[in-house]
Amino acid sequence: MRNIVAGNWKSNKLMGEAREWMDEMAEWLASHEGVEVMVGAPAPYLSVLANVAPEGLQVLAQNVSAEGHGAHTGEFTADMLKSCGVAGAIVGHSERRARYGDTDDRVKAKVRALVGEGLQAVFCCGETLEEREAGHQEQVVHRQLKAAVLDLDEDALNRVVVAYEPVWAIGTGKTATSAQAQEMHGAIRGWLADRFGDEKAADVAILYGGSCKPSNAAELFGKADINGGLIGGAALNPVDFQGVLAGHPDLKR
Ligand code: PEP
């Protein structure tokens, strides 16, 4: 079982601020263990941050190309990330699905590109408010999962982390209740178990994302199928991020 708390800075921080965050996390990580810590940083900083990241902190990109090398201006590939010491990437985030053309097919190609290079794919899925109000949340997430992970072999699945992020809870201050989140995490685990077997499904980390903060992290992370979180706003300040980490039942000092 993997326990993971991953930050997602999105398009925030300048280089100096990113380095300061790393320094503060390095100090904290020296006396804490039990949870894998990751951070999704802006692309220009990846190579530097991956080289200065303390032990116990993996640096992620927030995107990766669905194509290989070639005439794809502005894109960067999974093997480029690997060559810089980057651990993987967040893919399928709802902001990219809604605004930057990340269809299920493109997300599938990105997941494959990452796991094919032995990198981590933090795969995001989740329903919009409209979809939830129509009662279609499980259907939506199962469709997204089917597109992205159905064809993976077991070895590749080991490098996939699923982040359930209800779109209506991202950056809105409106968190899913722990019962709502557990219900969806249970449905995701069940879907994985049907395709890959109970044992493999139990090994996949399923993170909750959506206005998770120090005050609600323990309640969310205490649920059976919630293995940690993908954290946006509360990952910008290391003290808040550490507060979220402190809510994980497996964190040890
Ligand atoms: C996110 O964007 O992945 C996220 C979870 O954001 P926030 O924590 O700010 O809701």
Side-chain angles (χ1 to χ4, degrees), residues 1-5 28-38 55-58 205 207 221 226-229 244-253:
M1 171 59 66
R2 296 177 71 185
N3 302 310
I4 300 173
V5 174
W28 185 89
L29 279 161
S31 57
H32 294 84
E33 59 181 18
V35 177
E36 290 181 57
V37 184
M38 302 179 175
E55 200 178 317
L57 198 154
Q58 301 184 63
L207 314 184
F221 300 165
I226 304 184
N227 307 117
V244 170
L245 275 152
H248 200 293
D250 290 332
L251 185 80
K252 291 180 202 68
R253 285 186 74 92

PDB file of all heavy atoms in Angstrom, residues 1-5 28-38 55-58 205 207 221 226-229 244-253:
ATOM      1  N   MET A   1       0.833  -1.210   0.000  1.00  0.00           N
ATOM      2  CA  MET A   1       0.000   0.000   0.000  1.00  0.00           C
ATOM      3  C   MET A   1       0.869   1.262   0.000  1.00  0.00           C
ATOM      4  O   MET A   1       1.757   1.386   0.833  1.00  0.00           O
ATOM      5  CB  MET A   1      -0.897  -0.024   1.258  1.00  0.00           C
ATOM      6  CG  MET A   1      -1.666   1.243   1.513  1.00  0.00           C
ATOM      7  SD  MET A   1      -2.762   1.689   0.145  1.00  0.00           S
ATOM      8  CE  MET A   1      -3.930   0.334   0.218  1.00  0.00           C
ATOM      9  N   ARG A   2       0.602   2.158  -0.934  1.00  0.00           N
ATOM     10  CA  ARG A   2       1.379   3.407  -0.987  1.00  0.00           C
ATOM     11  C   ARG A   2       0.562   4.542  -0.358  1.00  0.00           C
ATOM     12  O   ARG A   2      -0.612   4.690  -0.643  1.00  0.00           O
ATOM     13  CB  ARG A   2       1.695   3.776  -2.435  1.00  0.00           C
ATOM     14  CG  ARG A   2       2.574   2.784  -3.146  1.00  0.00           C
ATOM     15  CD  ARG A   2       2.769   3.210  -4.590  1.00  0.00           C
ATOM     16  NE  ARG A   2       3.626   4.381  -4.708  1.00  0.00           N
ATOM     17  CZ  ARG A   2       3.860   5.004  -5.881  1.00  0.00           C
ATOM     18  NH1 ARG A   2       3.304   4.588  -6.976  1.00  0.00           N
ATOM     19  NH2 ARG A   2       4.669   6.050  -5.930  1.00  0.00           N
ATOM     20  N   ASN A   3       1.223   5.320   0.471  1.00  0.00           N
ATOM     21  CA  ASN A   3       0.614   6.538   1.019  1.00  0.00           C
ATOM     22  C   ASN A   3       1.312   7.707   0.354  1.00  0.00           C
ATOM     23  O   ASN A   3       2.546   7.793   0.401  1.00  0.00           O
ATOM     24  CB  ASN A   3       0.878   6.635   2.523  1.00  0.00           C
ATOM     25  CG  ASN A   3       0.341   5.439   3.264  1.00  0.00           C
ATOM     26  OD1 ASN A   3      -0.805   5.067   3.084  1.00  0.00           O
ATOM     27  ND2 ASN A   3       1.189   4.822   4.094  1.00  0.00           N
ATOM     28  N   ILE A   4       0.548   8.597  -0.251  1.00  0.00           N
ATOM     29  CA  ILE A   4       1.172   9.688  -1.009  1.00  0.00           C
ATOM     30  C   ILE A   4       0.420  10.994  -0.755  1.00  0.00           C
ATOM     31  O   ILE A   4      -0.814  11.025  -0.792  1.00  0.00           O
ATOM     32  CB  ILE A   4       1.116   9.393  -2.535  1.00  0.00           C
ATOM     33  CG1 ILE A   4       1.846   8.091  -2.867  1.00  0.00           C
ATOM     34  CG2 ILE A   4       1.704  10.566  -3.334  1.00  0.00           C
ATOM     35  CD1 ILE A   4       1.706   7.632  -4.316  1.00  0.00           C
ATOM     36  N   VAL A   5       1.173  12.046  -0.504  1.00  0.00           N
ATOM     37  CA  VAL A   5       0.579  13.383  -0.544  1.00  0.00           C
ATOM     38  C   VAL A   5       1.388  14.172  -1.576  1.00  0.00           C
ATOM     39  O   VAL A   5       2.615  14.288  -1.473  1.00  0.00           O
ATOM     40  CB  VAL A   5       0.596  14.071   0.843  1.00  0.00           C
ATOM     41  CG1 VAL A   5       0.112  15.515   0.713  1.00  0.00           C
ATOM     42  CG2 VAL A   5      -0.320  13.307   1.821  1.00  0.00           C
ATOM     43  N   TRP A  28      11.846  19.698   7.178  1.00  0.00           N
ATOM     44  CA  TRP A  28      10.716  18.948   7.756  1.00  0.00           C
ATOM     45  C   TRP A  28      10.835  17.458   7.453  1.00  0.00           C
ATOM     46  O   TRP A  28      10.610  16.609   8.317  1.00  0.00           O
ATOM     47  CB  TRP A  28       9.422  19.534   7.174  1.00  0.00           C
ATOM     48  CG  TRP A  28       8.164  18.964   7.734  1.00  0.00           C
ATOM     49  CD1 TRP A  28       7.475  19.410   8.825  1.00  0.00           C
ATOM     50  CD2 TRP A  28       7.424  17.850   7.224  1.00  0.00           C
ATOM     51  NE1 TRP A  28       6.351  18.640   9.022  1.00  0.00           N
ATOM     52  CE2 TRP A  28       6.289  17.672   8.056  1.00  0.00           C
ATOM     53  CE3 TRP A  28       7.598  16.982   6.152  1.00  0.00           C
ATOM     54  CZ2 TRP A  28       5.351  16.674   7.844  1.00  0.00           C
ATOM     55  CZ3 TRP A  28       6.664  15.979   5.936  1.00  0.00           C
ATOM     56  CH2 TRP A  28       5.556  15.831   6.778  1.00  0.00           C
ATOM     57  N   LEU A  29      11.231  17.143   6.227  1.00  0.00           N
ATOM     58  CA  LEU A  29      11.319  15.730   5.827  1.00  0.00           C
ATOM     59  C   LEU A  29      12.401  14.976   6.588  1.00  0.00           C
ATOM     60  O   LEU A  29      12.331  13.756   6.742  1.00  0.00           O
ATOM     61  CB  LEU A  29      11.586  15.630   4.316  1.00  0.00           C
ATOM     62  CG  LEU A  29      10.341  15.799   3.440  1.00  0.00           C
ATOM     63  CD1 LEU A  29      10.731  16.140   2.010  1.00  0.00           C
ATOM     64  CD2 LEU A  29       9.492  14.524   3.467  1.00  0.00           C
ATOM     65  N   ALA A  30      13.395  15.716   7.071  1.00  0.00           N
ATOM     66  CA  ALA A  30      14.485  15.065   7.816  1.00  0.00           C
ATOM     67  C   ALA A  30      13.953  14.389   9.079  1.00  0.00           C
ATOM     68  O   ALA A  30      14.580  13.465   9.600  1.00  0.00           O
ATOM     69  CB  ALA A  30      15.558  16.097   8.155  1.00  0.00           C
ATOM     70  N   SER A  31      12.788  14.835   9.567  1.00  0.00           N
ATOM     71  CA  SER A  31      12.275  14.227  10.803  1.00  0.00           C
ATOM     72  C   SER A  31      10.884  13.602  10.631  1.00  0.00           C
ATOM     73  O   SER A  31      10.167  13.398  11.612  1.00  0.00           O
ATOM     74  CB  SER A  31      12.250  15.285  11.923  1.00  0.00           C
ATOM     75  OG  SER A  31      11.470  16.373  11.509  1.00  0.00           O
ATOM     76  N   HIS A  32      10.494  13.342   9.392  1.00  0.00           N
ATOM     77  CA  HIS A  32       9.187  12.699   9.170  1.00  0.00           C
ATOM     78  C   HIS A  32       9.317  11.608   8.120  1.00  0.00           C
ATOM     79  O   HIS A  32      10.098  11.740   7.184  1.00  0.00           O
ATOM     80  CB  HIS A  32       8.151  13.729   8.687  1.00  0.00           C
ATOM     81  CG  HIS A  32       7.814  14.762   9.708  1.00  0.00           C
ATOM     82  ND1 HIS A  32       8.572  15.888   9.905  1.00  0.00           N
ATOM     83  CD2 HIS A  32       6.800  14.831  10.610  1.00  0.00           C
ATOM     84  CE1 HIS A  32       8.040  16.614  10.875  1.00  0.00           C
ATOM     85  NE2 HIS A  32       6.970  15.987  11.329  1.00  0.00           N
ATOM     86  N   GLU A  33       8.484  10.580   8.263  1.00  0.00           N
ATOM     87  CA  GLU A  33       8.484   9.499   7.261  1.00  0.00           C
ATOM     88  C   GLU A  33       7.126   8.810   7.241  1.00  0.00           C
ATOM     89  O   GLU A  33       6.239   9.139   8.021  1.00  0.00           O
ATOM     90  CB  GLU A  33       9.598   8.489   7.554  1.00  0.00           C
ATOM     91  CG  GLU A  33       9.460   7.853   8.923  1.00  0.00           C
ATOM     92  CD  GLU A  33      10.573   6.861   9.229  1.00  0.00           C
ATOM     93  OE1 GLU A  33      11.612   6.892   8.559  1.00  0.00           O
ATOM     94  OE2 GLU A  33      10.363   6.054  10.146  1.00  0.00           O
ATOM     95  N   GLY A  34       6.993   7.851   6.343  1.00  0.00           N
ATOM     96  CA  GLY A  34       5.765   7.053   6.302  1.00  0.00           C
ATOM     97  C   GLY A  34       4.829   7.433   5.170  1.00  0.00           C
ATOM     98  O   GLY A  34       3.907   6.693   4.853  1.00  0.00           O
ATOM     99  N   VAL A  35       5.058   8.611   4.567  1.00  0.00           N
ATOM    100  CA  VAL A  35       4.216   9.056   3.454  1.00  0.00           C
ATOM    101  C   VAL A  35       5.132   9.542   2.337  1.00  0.00           C
ATOM    102  O   VAL A  35       6.090  10.280   2.591  1.00  0.00           O
ATOM    103  CB  VAL A  35       3.282  10.221   3.899  1.00  0.00           C
ATOM    104  CG1 VAL A  35       2.451  10.732   2.727  1.00  0.00           C
ATOM    105  CG2 VAL A  35       2.362   9.769   5.035  1.00  0.00           C
ATOM    106  N   GLU A  36       4.868   9.095   1.113  1.00  0.00           N
ATOM    107  CA  GLU A  36       5.634   9.602  -0.039  1.00  0.00           C
ATOM    108  C   GLU A  36       5.168  11.025  -0.331  1.00  0.00           C
ATOM    109  O   GLU A  36       3.963  11.284  -0.400  1.00  0.00           O
ATOM    110  CB  GLU A  36       5.366   8.759  -1.286  1.00  0.00           C
ATOM    111  CG  GLU A  36       5.940   7.360  -1.256  1.00  0.00           C
ATOM    112  CD  GLU A  36       5.613   6.626  -2.567  1.00  0.00           C
ATOM    113  OE1 GLU A  36       5.963   7.110  -3.649  1.00  0.00           O
ATOM    114  OE2 GLU A  36       4.992   5.552  -2.479  1.00  0.00           O
ATOM    115  N   VAL A  37       6.111  11.922  -0.511  1.00  0.00           N
ATOM    116  CA  VAL A  37       5.772  13.324  -0.775  1.00  0.00           C
ATOM    117  C   VAL A  37       6.209  13.674  -2.199  1.00  0.00           C
ATOM    118  O   VAL A  37       7.317  13.327  -2.622  1.00  0.00           O
ATOM    119  CB  VAL A  37       6.459  14.266   0.248  1.00  0.00           C
ATOM    120  CG1 VAL A  37       6.025  15.711   0.021  1.00  0.00           C
ATOM    121  CG2 VAL A  37       6.124  13.834   1.677  1.00  0.00           C
ATOM    122  N   MET A  38       5.316  14.322  -2.926  1.00  0.00           N
ATOM    123  CA  MET A  38       5.603  14.710  -4.316  1.00  0.00           C
ATOM    124  C   MET A  38       5.166  16.155  -4.507  1.00  0.00           C
ATOM    125  O   MET A  38       4.288  16.633  -3.789  1.00  0.00           O
ATOM    126  CB  MET A  38       4.809  13.836  -5.292  1.00  0.00           C
ATOM    127  CG  MET A  38       5.062  12.350  -5.168  1.00  0.00           C
ATOM    128  SD  MET A  38       4.043  11.439  -6.364  1.00  0.00           S
ATOM    129  CE  MET A  38       4.635   9.769  -6.097  1.00  0.00           C
ATOM    130  N   GLU A  55      15.818  13.926  -0.053  1.00  0.00           N
ATOM    131  CA  GLU A  55      15.352  12.546  -0.077  1.00  0.00           C
ATOM    132  C   GLU A  55      13.912  12.514   0.457  1.00  0.00           C
ATOM    133  O   GLU A  55      13.574  13.235   1.406  1.00  0.00           O
ATOM    134  CB  GLU A  55      16.256  11.703   0.832  1.00  0.00           C
ATOM    135  CG  GLU A  55      16.150  10.247   0.483  1.00  0.00           C
ATOM    136  CD  GLU A  55      17.084   9.426   1.350  1.00  0.00           C
ATOM    137  OE1 GLU A  55      18.240   9.844   1.551  1.00  0.00           O
ATOM    138  OE2 GLU A  55      16.621   8.383   1.829  1.00  0.00           O
ATOM    139  N   GLY A  56      13.085  11.739  -0.184  1.00  0.00           N
ATOM    140  CA  GLY A  56      11.700  11.649   0.282  1.00  0.00           C
ATOM    141  C   GLY A  56      10.775  12.611  -0.431  1.00  0.00           C
ATOM    142  O   GLY A  56       9.588  12.642  -0.138  1.00  0.00           O
ATOM    143  N   LEU A  57      11.317  13.417  -1.352  1.00  0.00           N
ATOM    144  CA  LEU A  57      10.445  14.332  -2.099  1.00  0.00           C
ATOM    145  C   LEU A  57      10.679  14.146  -3.596  1.00  0.00           C
ATOM    146  O   LEU A  57      11.796  14.318  -4.091  1.00  0.00           O
ATOM    147  CB  LEU A  57      10.726  15.772  -1.683  1.00  0.00           C
ATOM    148  CG  LEU A  57       9.615  16.769  -2.041  1.00  0.00           C
ATOM    149  CD1 LEU A  57       9.636  17.945  -1.096  1.00  0.00           C
ATOM    150  CD2 LEU A  57       9.706  17.266  -3.460  1.00  0.00           C
ATOM    151  N   GLN A  58       9.636  13.743  -4.293  1.00  0.00           N
ATOM    152  CA  GLN A  58       9.759  13.522  -5.735  1.00  0.00           C
ATOM    153  C   GLN A  58       9.150  14.692  -6.500  1.00  0.00           C
ATOM    154  O   GLN A  58       8.063  15.154  -6.170  1.00  0.00           O
ATOM    155  CB  GLN A  58       9.032  12.243  -6.126  1.00  0.00           C
ATOM    156  CG  GLN A  58       9.579  11.012  -5.410  1.00  0.00           C
ATOM    157  CD  GLN A  58       8.889   9.751  -5.909  1.00  0.00           C
ATOM    158  OE1 GLN A  58       8.986   9.384  -7.072  1.00  0.00           O
ATOM    159  NE2 GLN A  58       8.180   9.092  -5.017  1.00  0.00           N
ATOM    160  N   ALA A 205      -2.423   3.538  -5.168  1.00  0.00           N
ATOM    161  CA  ALA A 205      -2.742   4.672  -4.294  1.00  0.00           C
ATOM    162  C   ALA A 205      -3.836   5.494  -4.962  1.00  0.00           C
ATOM    163  O   ALA A 205      -3.710   5.865  -6.132  1.00  0.00           O
ATOM    164  CB  ALA A 205      -1.506   5.519  -4.058  1.00  0.00           C
ATOM    165  N   LEU A 207      -5.709   8.999  -4.419  1.00  0.00           N
ATOM    166  CA  LEU A 207      -5.608  10.258  -3.672  1.00  0.00           C
ATOM    167  C   LEU A 207      -6.882  11.075  -3.842  1.00  0.00           C
ATOM    168  O   LEU A 207      -7.492  11.064  -4.918  1.00  0.00           O
ATOM    169  CB  LEU A 207      -4.419  11.084  -4.185  1.00  0.00           C
ATOM    170  CG  LEU A 207      -3.095  10.350  -4.404  1.00  0.00           C
ATOM    171  CD1 LEU A 207      -2.011  11.347  -4.820  1.00  0.00           C
ATOM    172  CD2 LEU A 207      -2.678   9.601  -3.148  1.00  0.00           C
ATOM    173  N   PHE A 221      -8.255  11.513   5.016  1.00  0.00           N
ATOM    174  CA  PHE A 221      -7.233  10.469   4.917  1.00  0.00           C
ATOM    175  C   PHE A 221      -7.525   9.291   5.854  1.00  0.00           C
ATOM    176  O   PHE A 221      -6.897   8.246   5.756  1.00  0.00           O
ATOM    177  CB  PHE A 221      -5.835  11.023   5.228  1.00  0.00           C
ATOM    178  CG  PHE A 221      -5.368  12.137   4.316  1.00  0.00           C
ATOM    179  CD1 PHE A 221      -4.276  12.934   4.669  1.00  0.00           C
ATOM    180  CD2 PHE A 221      -5.995  12.394   3.105  1.00  0.00           C
ATOM    181  CE1 PHE A 221      -3.830  13.954   3.844  1.00  0.00           C
ATOM    182  CE2 PHE A 221      -5.567  13.425   2.268  1.00  0.00           C
ATOM    183  CZ  PHE A 221      -4.481  14.206   2.642  1.00  0.00           C
ATOM    184  N   ILE A 226      -8.915   6.038   0.932  1.00  0.00           N
ATOM    185  CA  ILE A 226      -8.238   7.310   0.627  1.00  0.00           C
ATOM    186  C   ILE A 226      -6.799   7.205   1.127  1.00  0.00           C
ATOM    187  O   ILE A 226      -6.548   7.169   2.323  1.00  0.00           O
ATOM    188  CB  ILE A 226      -8.991   8.512   1.250  1.00  0.00           C
ATOM    189  CG1 ILE A 226     -10.458   8.520   0.753  1.00  0.00           C
ATOM    190  CG2 ILE A 226      -8.276   9.821   0.905  1.00  0.00           C
ATOM    191  CD1 ILE A 226     -11.299   9.697   1.210  1.00  0.00           C
ATOM    192  N   ASN A 227      -5.879   7.109   0.192  1.00  0.00           N
ATOM    193  CA  ASN A 227      -4.472   6.844   0.547  1.00  0.00           C
ATOM    194  C   ASN A 227      -3.626   8.108   0.648  1.00  0.00           C
ATOM    195  O   ASN A 227      -2.402   8.020   0.811  1.00  0.00           O
ATOM    196  CB  ASN A 227      -3.846   5.899  -0.481  1.00  0.00           C
ATOM    197  CG  ASN A 227      -4.661   4.643  -0.678  1.00  0.00           C
ATOM    198  OD1 ASN A 227      -5.167   4.382  -1.747  1.00  0.00           O
ATOM    199  ND2 ASN A 227      -4.838   3.879   0.385  1.00  0.00           N
ATOM    200  N   GLY A 228      -4.268   9.260   0.511  1.00  0.00           N
ATOM    201  CA  GLY A 228      -3.525  10.509   0.581  1.00  0.00           C
ATOM    202  C   GLY A 228      -4.231  11.555  -0.246  1.00  0.00           C
ATOM    203  O   GLY A 228      -5.427  11.416  -0.541  1.00  0.00           O
ATOM    204  N   GLY A 229      -3.496  12.593  -0.641  1.00  0.00           N
ATOM    205  CA  GLY A 229      -4.166  13.684  -1.342  1.00  0.00           C
ATOM    206  C   GLY A 229      -3.337  14.309  -2.435  1.00  0.00           C
ATOM    207  O   GLY A 229      -2.101  14.206  -2.455  1.00  0.00           O
ATOM    208  N   VAL A 244      -1.269  19.487   6.106  1.00  0.00           N
ATOM    209  CA  VAL A 244      -2.037  18.456   5.397  1.00  0.00           C
ATOM    210  C   VAL A 244      -1.371  17.097   5.617  1.00  0.00           C
ATOM    211  O   VAL A 244      -2.031  16.109   5.962  1.00  0.00           O
ATOM    212  CB  VAL A 244      -2.122  18.781   3.883  1.00  0.00           C
ATOM    213  CG1 VAL A 244      -2.703  17.605   3.112  1.00  0.00           C
ATOM    214  CG2 VAL A 244      -2.962  20.036   3.651  1.00  0.00           C
ATOM    215  N   LEU A 245      -0.060  17.065   5.455  1.00  0.00           N
ATOM    216  CA  LEU A 245       0.678  15.803   5.662  1.00  0.00           C
ATOM    217  C   LEU A 245       0.465  15.262   7.075  1.00  0.00           C
ATOM    218  O   LEU A 245       0.343  14.044   7.271  1.00  0.00           O
ATOM    219  CB  LEU A 245       2.170  16.030   5.413  1.00  0.00           C
ATOM    220  CG  LEU A 245       2.587  15.910   3.954  1.00  0.00           C
ATOM    221  CD1 LEU A 245       3.811  16.770   3.657  1.00  0.00           C
ATOM    222  CD2 LEU A 245       2.887  14.452   3.623  1.00  0.00           C
ATOM    223  N   ALA A 246       0.401  16.165   8.030  1.00  0.00           N
ATOM    224  CA  ALA A 246       0.235  15.752   9.432  1.00  0.00           C
ATOM    225  C   ALA A 246      -1.100  15.040   9.641  1.00  0.00           C
ATOM    226  O   ALA A 246      -1.276  14.288  10.608  1.00  0.00           O
ATOM    227  CB  ALA A 246       0.336  16.964  10.356  1.00  0.00           C
ATOM    228  N   GLY A 247      -2.054  15.261   8.719  1.00  0.00           N
ATOM    229  CA  GLY A 247      -3.339  14.605   8.834  1.00  0.00           C
ATOM    230  C   GLY A 247      -3.319  13.159   8.354  1.00  0.00           C
ATOM    231  O   GLY A 247      -4.307  12.437   8.500  1.00  0.00           O
ATOM    232  N   HIS A 248      -2.191  12.735   7.778  1.00  0.00           N
ATOM    233  CA  HIS A 248      -2.142  11.353   7.276  1.00  0.00           C
ATOM    234  C   HIS A 248      -1.885  10.380   8.432  1.00  0.00           C
ATOM    235  O   HIS A 248      -0.920  10.553   9.182  1.00  0.00           O
ATOM    236  CB  HIS A 248      -1.047  11.200   6.198  1.00  0.00           C
ATOM    237  CG  HIS A 248      -1.293   9.993   5.348  1.00  0.00           C
ATOM    238  ND1 HIS A 248      -1.210   8.708   5.848  1.00  0.00           N
ATOM    239  CD2 HIS A 248      -1.682   9.867   4.072  1.00  0.00           C
ATOM    240  CE1 HIS A 248      -1.513   7.854   4.887  1.00  0.00           C
ATOM    241  NE2 HIS A 248      -1.813   8.544   3.802  1.00  0.00           N
ATOM    242  N   PRO A 249      -2.721   9.359   8.567  1.00  0.00           N
ATOM    243  CA  PRO A 249      -2.564   8.464   9.727  1.00  0.00           C
ATOM    244  C   PRO A 249      -1.239   7.709   9.743  1.00  0.00           C
ATOM    245  O   PRO A 249      -0.806   7.255  10.815  1.00  0.00           O
ATOM    246  CB  PRO A 249      -3.749   7.491   9.611  1.00  0.00           C
ATOM    247  CG  PRO A 249      -4.231   7.603   8.203  1.00  0.00           C
ATOM    248  CD  PRO A 249      -3.880   8.974   7.737  1.00  0.00           C
ATOM    249  N   ASP A 250      -0.578   7.563   8.602  1.00  0.00           N
ATOM    250  CA  ASP A 250       0.687   6.804   8.571  1.00  0.00           C
ATOM    251  C   ASP A 250       1.928   7.686   8.660  1.00  0.00           C
ATOM    252  O   ASP A 250       3.044   7.189   8.554  1.00  0.00           O
ATOM    253  CB  ASP A 250       0.755   5.934   7.319  1.00  0.00           C
ATOM    254  CG  ASP A 250      -0.245   4.783   7.415  1.00  0.00           C
ATOM    255  OD1 ASP A 250      -0.540   4.370   8.544  1.00  0.00           O
ATOM    256  OD2 ASP A 250      -0.736   4.334   6.370  1.00  0.00           O
ATOM    257  N   LEU A 251       1.729   8.988   8.819  1.00  0.00           N
ATOM    258  CA  LEU A 251       2.907   9.858   8.966  1.00  0.00           C
ATOM    259  C   LEU A 251       3.539   9.626  10.322  1.00  0.00           C
ATOM    260  O   LEU A 251       2.851   9.597  11.344  1.00  0.00           O
ATOM    261  CB  LEU A 251       2.510  11.331   8.829  1.00  0.00           C
ATOM    262  CG  LEU A 251       3.722  12.254   8.847  1.00  0.00           C
ATOM    263  CD1 LEU A 251       4.396  12.284   7.484  1.00  0.00           C
ATOM    264  CD2 LEU A 251       3.347  13.661   9.264  1.00  0.00           C
ATOM    265  N   LYS A 252       4.872   9.452  10.309  1.00  0.00           N
ATOM    266  CA  LYS A 252       5.577   9.231  11.587  1.00  0.00           C
ATOM    267  C   LYS A 252       6.640  10.290  11.749  1.00  0.00           C
ATOM    268  O   LYS A 252       7.281  10.680  10.780  1.00  0.00           O
ATOM    269  CB  LYS A 252       6.260   7.861  11.583  1.00  0.00           C
ATOM    270  CG  LYS A 252       5.291   6.722  11.609  1.00  0.00           C
ATOM    271  CD  LYS A 252       6.047   5.387  11.591  1.00  0.00           C
ATOM    272  CE  LYS A 252       5.173   4.271  11.095  1.00  0.00           C
ATOM    273  NZ  LYS A 252       4.813   4.376   9.660  1.00  0.00           N
ATOM    274  N   ARG A 253       6.856  10.708  12.968  1.00  0.00           N
ATOM    275  CA  ARG A 253       7.942  11.653  13.278  1.00  0.00           C
ATOM    276  C   ARG A 253       9.178  10.892  13.631  1.00  0.00           C
ATOM    277  O   ARG A 253       9.108   9.863  14.258  1.00  0.00           O
ATOM    278  CB  ARG A 253       7.574  12.516  14.478  1.00  0.00           C
ATOM    279  CG  ARG A 253       6.575  13.587  14.171  1.00  0.00           C
ATOM    280  CD  ARG A 253       6.418  14.454  15.394  1.00  0.00           C
ATOM    281  NE  ARG A 253       7.594  15.312  15.556  1.00  0.00           N
ATOM    282  CZ  ARG A 253       7.687  16.546  15.062  1.00  0.00           C
ATOM    283  NH1 ARG A 253       6.690  17.065  14.430  1.00  0.00           N
ATOM    284  NH2 ARG A 253       8.763  17.262  15.234  1.00  0.00           N
TER     285      ARG A 253
END
